[in-house]
Amino acid sequence: MHPFRSHTCAGLTKANVGETVRLSGWVHRVRDHGGVLFIDLRDHYGVTQVLADSDSPAFAAVEKVRSEWCIRVDGVVKARDESLVNPKLPTGEIEVFIREVEVLGQAEELPLMVFGDQDYPEETRLRYRYLDLRRDSMQANMKLRSDVVASIRRRMWDKGFREFQTPIITASSPEGARDFLVPSRLHPGRFYALPQAPQIFKQLIMVSGFDRYFQIAPCFRDEDPRADRSPTDFYQLDMEMSFATQQDVFDTVQPVIAGIFEEFGNGRRVDQDWPQISYADAAKWYGTDKPDLRNPIRMQDVSEHFRGSGFAIFAKLLEQDGTEIRAIPAPGGGSRKFCDRMNAFAQKEGLPGMGYIFWRERGDGDTENLVVRALVGAEDYDKFKNRELEGAAAEGKLKILEALDQGDLDRVHFLTNAYFGEIEAAGPLAKNIGPERTEAIRLQLGLGKGDAAFFLGGKPAAFEAVAGRARNVIGEELGLTEKDRFAFAWIVDFPMYEKDPETGAIDFSHNPFSMPQGGMAALEGDPLDVLGYQYDLACNGYELISGAIRNHRLDVMFKAFALAGYAEDEVRSRFPSLVNAFRFGPPPHGGCAAGIDRIVMLLADEQNIREVIMFPMNQRAEDLMMGAPTLPTNEQLRELRLRVLPPEE
């Protein structure tokens, strides 16, 4: 028999009853049932219940074992009593009567328990990651990650891609984040860099004549940590194609990504129709270029309804250039309590608040009946004309009579609903702008009784992000966001350039190596009007993919960089490999990169990316388990001819 096991802890079934077997694993849980000791023995594959009674020669040894000891047991497989079968376990029909036990590795008192779902501080979990990884949820996440990567590889090979590895030690590159620098011993005072991405290498692979490249590539960026981003390193599906258009990239990538989510999504719906939304529309409709389309709310520009209105804050705001008022519809949010809660949300976001309107049932609908009948009967017309009304109702009556006299029945219906309909608008903002404007807003947004709308104003760049977060909160709180769904969208038409609001200088807003839409001709006009063949794939509020059709023409590249203030000599010195390679017949090419960590995070239904990374850093970019980063020794510094400055106070 094998020295450690004849079967795994998931490998025994009723067919093995009567066999003598050997299992090895960790003591998941010990239960003492009055002279009978039960152990749930766990390995990477599953759990088997083993037991020893007082007659067993191993009973005394079994009494000593504790949680997370690593042990080997020999025993006989027996069928469980029918009433004791555990249908949740593949091994739930059997148990193993221990005849011999050997302790392979004892465990001291545990800093965190593996059994159960207790919450522990992240610092403890990362310091003892090897224990944390023993937990069922973490085992499942890491197995999922491995299976996803294997499936991606198969799918890319099936599409005619070949996998090539690119260097890990290279030159510094302008990917938009800080490089990790590596000092050179052989070249004192000079530094390599860890690649932020294989961007330049994969373009050079296309220049080399390889048609379809991919790689599960490690990338290194010295970034501030976030819940959905590692502060040091991450893995991506990196790919590039020659002789490809933007649509070719989409058509190639979509079945790979959709297939992964279908295979590992646990039955959640995977959208097959992936809309292409311009960057400008994504910002306007969703407040972000990473929209969560499981939430059906789409924001709208309602500026015209507030221009010259009685709500002075918005009316005066709209007198300034570049300002607008956006509405966030909230179907089902038509209560003062919910509106006040969202107002408090806006204040937490640093705003004075959010204007709102909600629509409710009007108390008296009798007048509306009179108006409707007035369309067909002179007698009722006289009754309505002579009816004494006050305030807004009186104003509405006069406008309705005027519209009736003009024969404008559409206007009559509109005014009837605004002033006397079954639904009335409520809230301070509604009182300020009056029934006609609130009714026009309601009709534009497609809202009704029991619904609400929230409003933010100013220059869009200043409030779009908050509006986007408010949209997400509204969708969550009102139950509008579909949880069991993966909703994808390509975000396209990114602007190539942006203006620094303080200096007015023009610089690249996204990938500087992208081909501008329209080529050289597009670069002759206003740089802020230039769009690039750049694209992202958003899923459930996260960016999964970023890519572009590359600028492979040197004349267009030099012009594009010149608009951002880079002289040709500087481009040649900063990117010598690309510039030199593009002198020798570069093909049109494009590609993208998909974040492996983020894909697995979504599939595992986790909110924090560290839950799907085997050995992640903490929020301060520290490896608590390994003790990194460390201080170099004086010998290392001398060898590298480096001196470390003390940190600034």
Side-chain angles (χ1 to χ4, degrees):
M1 189 178 287
H2 189 277
F4 296 119
R5 60 188 178 192
S6 61
H7 299 78
T8 71
C9 290
L12 296 174
T13 67
K14 214 168 182 178
N16 301 106
V17 170
E19 294 180 15
T20 297
V21 298
R22 176 171 290 173
L23 304 175
S24 290
W26 287 268
V27 175
H28 193 59
R29 183 170 57 162
V30 182
R31 304 186 304 282
D32 186 345
H33 285 199
V36 181
L37 294 171
F38 291 88
I39 293 176
D40 291 337
L41 190 65
R42 182 195 76 243
D43 66 6
H44 175 69
Y45 304 98
V47 174
T48 298
Q49 179 173 282
V50 301
L51 66 145
D53 57 23
S54 55
D55 295 331
S56 169
F59 187 80
V62 173
E63 277 190 306
K64 296 177 182 177
V65 303
R66 295 291 179 267
S67 182
E68 292 309 303
W69 283 26
C70 186
I71 65 173
R72 187 213 81 210
V73 301
D74 291 353
V76 178
V77 181
K78 296 190 178 182
R80 293 197 198 189
D81 186 276
E82 209 168 297
S83 63
L84 300 176
V85 168
N86 184 350
K88 296 179 180 179
L89 290 178
T91 60
E93 291 185 301
I94 59 92
E95 53 197 0
V96 175
F97 279 72
I98 303 172
R99 290 291 172 256
E100 183 181 326
V101 63
E102 178 187 0
V103 175
L104 302 176
Q106 289 190 19
E108 298 178 6
E109 184 177 348
L110 297 168
L112 59 86
M113 295 299 296
V114 174
F115 172 73
D117 296 320
Q118 298 97 322
D119 286 330
Y120 292 94
E122 187 175 69
E123 181 174 335
T124 301
R125 294 182 59 201
L126 295 183
R127 192 178 301 279
Y128 300 97
R129 188 63 163 181
Y130 39 82
L131 290 179
D132 190 47
L133 287 170
R134 291 183 187 177
R135 302 204 294 175
D136 288 344
S137 61
M138 298 304 294
Q139 288 273 313
N141 283 355
M142 297 310 149
K143 284 187 278 190
L144 172 64
R145 183 190 179 99
S146 178
D147 292 345
V148 166
V149 170
S151 183
I152 287 174
R153 280 197 162 100
R154 287 192 298 270
R155 293 171 188 276
M156 294 302 290
W157 277 100
D158 288 345
K159 287 200 163 290
F161 286 78
R162 293 184 180 273
E163 185 168 11
F164 301 108
Q165 284 70 47
T166 52
I168 296 300
I169 298 291
T170 182
S172 183
S173 64
E175 288 289 331
R178 297 182 187 87
D179 286 319
F180 282 107
L181 298 179
V182 181
S184 169
R185 178 183 60 83
L186 297 176
H187 305 280
R190 300 174 73 180
F191 292 80
Y192 303 103
L194 301 180
Q196 294 186 35
Q199 176 69 47
I200 291 179
F201 286 110
K202 68 178 179 180
Q203 291 191 247
L204 295 177
I205 289 173
M206 297 299 102
V207 177
S208 302
F210 296 93
D211 197 67
R212 291 190 166 200
Y213 141 93
F214 88 98
Q215 180 184 187
I216 305 299
C219 303
F220 306 89
R221 297 181 186 180
D222 188 0
E223 295 190 306
D224 295 329
R226 296 192 323 216
D228 67 334
R229 175 186 294 170
S230 171
T232 53
D233 57 289
F234 59 93
Y235 281 81
Q236 65 186 31
L237 164 61
D238 200 58
M239 60 157 286
E240 198 78 4
M241 305 164 61
S242 285
F243 308 108
T245 66
Q246 177 172 284
Q247 191 61 46
D248 290 332
V249 176
F250 294 173
D251 293 342
T252 302
V253 169
Q254 178 167 339
V256 173
I257 299 300
I260 291 294
F261 278 84
E262 288 168 351
E263 184 177 354
F264 299 103
N266 286 328
R268 284 171 282 183
R269 179 157 68 91
V270 179
D271 286 5
Q272 299 301 316
D273 181 17
W274 295 9
Q276 295 180 23
I277 304 170
S278 73
Y279 174 85
D281 283 343
K284 182 163 72 172
W285 296 340
Y286 309 112
T288 176
D289 60 355
K290 300 178 280 291
D292 186 349
L293 297 189
R294 297 174 303 165
N295 178 353
I297 294 174
R298 180 183 286 191
M299 297 186 288
Q300 295 189 39
D301 183 348
V302 291
S303 302
E304 290 310 307
H305 303 304
F306 288 95
R307 207 176 299 278
S309 72
F311 189 58
I313 296 175
F314 282 175
K316 289 180 180 178
L317 200 63
L318 290 170
E319 293 173 3
Q320 304 171 30
D321 290 337
T323 59
E324 63 182 61
I325 311 300
R326 296 259 178 95
I328 312 172
S335 72
R336 194 173 298 276
K337 183 178 180 181
F338 180 74
C339 292
D340 288 343
R341 197 156 68 242
M342 288 307 303
N343 206 39
F345 161 83
Q347 290 168 352
K348 287 180 183 177
E349 293 284 328
L351 299 177
M354 279 195 299
Y356 63 83
I357 299 171
F358 63 96
W359 284 270
R360 63 191 179 190
E361 186 172 4
R362 192 186 300 274
D364 179 13
D366 179 58
T367 309
E368 180 202 3
N369 294 332
L370 286 174
V371 175
V372 172
R373 289 198 302 273
L375 299 176
V376 294
E379 181 181 347
D380 289 319
Y381 174 89
D382 290 336
K383 287 181 180 178
F384 177 65
K385 185 176 180 182
N386 294 327
R387 182 161 181 171
E388 293 295 328
L389 298 173
E390 298 179 354
E395 176 185 313
K397 184 185 82 166
L398 292 175
K399 291 183 176 181
I400 290 170
L401 292 172
E402 181 181 350
L404 280 168
D405 289 340
Q406 294 172 351
D408 188 347
L409 299 188
D410 288 339
R411 173 105 175 124
V412 169
H413 283 299
F414 172 78
L415 293 169
T416 299
N417 286 326
Y419 287 94
F420 306 110
E422 294 179 359
I423 303 171
E424 68 173 347
L429 199 153
K431 292 179 181 177
N432 276 282
I433 64 174
E436 290 182 64
R437 292 177 185 264
T438 56
E439 179 66 7
I441 290 171
R442 184 184 73 80
L443 292 174
Q444 178 182 333
L445 301 181
L447 298 175
K449 183 172 62 177
D451 298 336
F454 298 88
F455 304 89
L456 288 167
K459 293 190 175 179
F463 69 76
E464 271 176 348
V466 175
R469 290 193 290 274
R471 172 186 172 270
N472 290 339
V473 172
I474 291 168
E476 289 280 340
E477 291 213 9
L478 298 179
L480 302 173
T481 303
E482 299 178 60
K483 294 297 185 181
D484 294 328
R485 175 186 169 200
F486 294 110
F488 298 87
W490 287 109
I491 309 302
V492 298
D493 299 339
F494 280 84
M496 281 280 290
Y497 301 97
E498 62 186 5
K499 180 185 288 188
D500 187 302
E502 295 181 1
T503 66
I506 299 294
D507 203 352
F508 291 108
S509 61
H510 212 58
N511 189 321
F513 298 105
S514 304
M515 179 66 79
Q517 295 183 23
M520 183 67 84
L523 301 178
E524 301 297 337
D526 185 346
L528 297 180
D529 293 335
V530 179
L531 302 178
Y533 284 113
Q534 301 166 351
Y535 37 84
D536 287 353
L537 179 66
C539 176
N540 293 9
Y542 293 95
E543 176 197 311
L544 289 193
I545 287 178
S546 187
I549 298 301
R550 318 302 176 187
N551 189 344
H552 70 287
R553 287 181 46 187
L554 281 179
D555 57 340
V556 180
M557 181 184 293
F558 289 141
K559 177 66 174 178
F561 274 89
L563 292 178
Y566 299 90
E568 181 176 326
D569 289 346
E570 185 178 1
V571 177
R572 290 182 181 275
S573 65
R574 292 183 66 177
F575 318 114
S577 58
L578 271 186
V579 171
N580 287 329
F582 284 178
R583 295 164 53 212
F584 303 105
H589 59 282
C592 62
I596 300 291
D597 310 304
R598 213 167 277 173
I599 288 172
V600 179
M601 184 183 80
L602 282 176
L603 289 168
D605 203 21
E606 296 285 1
Q607 302 299 312
N608 192 315
I609 206 164
R610 289 185 286 281
E611 298 298 315
V612 298
I613 298 174
M614 188 75 83
F615 297 109
M617 300 280 184
N618 68 4
Q619 286 275 27
R620 300 179 63 218
E622 297 169 318
D623 184 339
L624 300 178
M625 185 181 65
M626 299 294 289
T630 60
L631 291 171
T633 65
N634 288 330
E635 182 181 351
Q636 287 173 317
L637 291 174
R638 280 195 297 271
E639 192 173 39
L640 295 169
R641 301 180 65 83
L642 293 177
R643 178 179 297 158
V644 176
L645 297 176
E648 295 182 1
E649 294 294 334

